[in-house]
Amino acid sequence: MAQRTIHYLLGRLLLREEPVGDAERFLLGCLLPDAYADLADRPATHFINRSIPGMHYFDYDAFRERFAAQMGDPLYQGYCLHLLEDNCYRLFFRQRLALSIDPEDAEQVAALHRDYRLLNARIVARYGLRCEVEHPAAFAREPLSTVAAFATEDFLAAFARDFTEKEEGELRFLTEAALEEYLDGCYPLCLEALRALRHGGRLLPAADLAWTDPK
């Protein structure tokens, strides 16, 4: 999955061209799929679909169907885009970088997360990002809260630290150039999707972005 500062950055970039009304609510949605209380809840918050043998994808079509009545809300639009971005990210890793991170391989996952921490300060500085999302007091009353157990308060506290903490070291999987290439490819698709969500258009079927499971 893409790191939370990348999701936040994409949300900020999208708002420049497609204002949604409640920017903070939209940006919160862009982060929420990663705010699960337990790692075991990740398949639920990401709507993982394994119906294609040997493949899986984050099923934003299933998300839209489940929350059809709420899709005019920026919170739900941001959540849907997070799932799209993660699909793009997995395909970018496999097709462009020829890498495959096995979520069951603790060493690989730890190395990837370290890359994320190393890149946080660079992303924040380059794009002039500020942390402008706060814990939603009424989140427990959101229909979205029924997806899984969310630890929004702890998650957003950790997210706020991404803007101040710095780590030194060498990148293993990601580079700044690779990150920029991912953004260049993902952003136009996300902008088209956001406009479709807001104005009644169609999104690329989520299954079209499925990737092969690690062997």
Side-chain angles (χ1 to χ4, degrees):
M1 301 181 298
Q3 71 197 86
R4 55 198 176 205
T5 49
I6 295 176
H7 287 296
Y8 187 75
L9 170 60
L10 278 166
R12 278 288 179 204
L13 295 175
L14 289 167
L15 288 173
R16 294 179 183 178
E17 291 196 55
E18 189 69 19
V20 299
D22 191 331
E24 182 174 339
R25 193 165 169 83
F26 175 74
L27 292 169
L28 176 63
C30 290
L31 298 171
L32 272 177
D34 291 339
Y36 40 79
D38 188 285
L39 184 58
D41 293 324
R42 178 179 169 276
T45 65
H46 283 77
F47 286 75
I48 291 180
N49 187 316
R50 299 182 184 273
S51 61
I52 304 173
M55 306 186 76
H56 69 280
Y57 59 96
F58 302 125
D59 195 349
Y60 51 80
D61 292 324
F63 175 82
R64 290 180 71 197
E65 181 177 351
R66 177 168 173 176
F67 295 106
Q70 288 81 33
M71 287 312 301
D73 186 327
L75 178 74
Y76 294 78
Q77 293 166 4
Y79 197 110
C80 186
L81 288 177
H82 179 118
L83 303 182
L84 170 60
E85 292 159 13
D86 275 351
N87 281 334
C88 291
Y89 194 76
R90 286 297 182 90
L91 288 174
F92 178 75
F93 249 72
R94 284 161 171 72
Q95 295 180 356
R96 177 64 184 89
L97 301 183
L99 293 169
S100 179
I101 304 297
D102 184 349
E104 303 300 324
D105 187 322
E107 190 276 332
Q108 285 190 358
V109 172
L112 179 62
H113 287 177
R114 185 165 183 271
D115 278 1
Y116 289 164
R117 294 193 300 273
L118 290 169
L119 284 171
N120 280 338
R122 306 178 202 187
I123 293 170
V124 168
R126 177 163 187 171
Y127 291 94
L129 295 180
R130 293 179 298 169
C131 182
E132 297 179 327
V133 178
E134 297 181 357
H135 174 60
F139 182 72
R141 295 197 294 271
E142 289 284 350
L144 188 55
S145 68
T146 62
V147 167
F150 288 91
T152 52
E153 188 168 9
D154 290 344
F155 174 83
L156 291 175
F159 175 65
R161 293 193 293 271
D162 291 343
F163 290 77
T164 57
E165 294 181 348
K166 296 182 180 180
E167 186 167 334
E168 300 295 330
E170 296 295 325
L171 295 166
R172 175 172 171 183
F173 295 115
L174 287 174
T175 65
E176 290 180 78
L179 173 60
E180 292 301 319
E181 187 176 344
Y182 165 72
L183 292 172
D184 287 344
C186 185
Y187 175 78
L189 186 60
C190 289
L191 181 59
E192 181 180 353
L194 178 57
R195 288 172 173 166
L197 289 172
R198 298 193 66 233
H199 306 297
R202 293 186 177 182
L203 272 67
L204 178 71
D208 287 0
L209 298 175
W211 65 85
T212 305
D213 286 328
K215 299 298 184 183

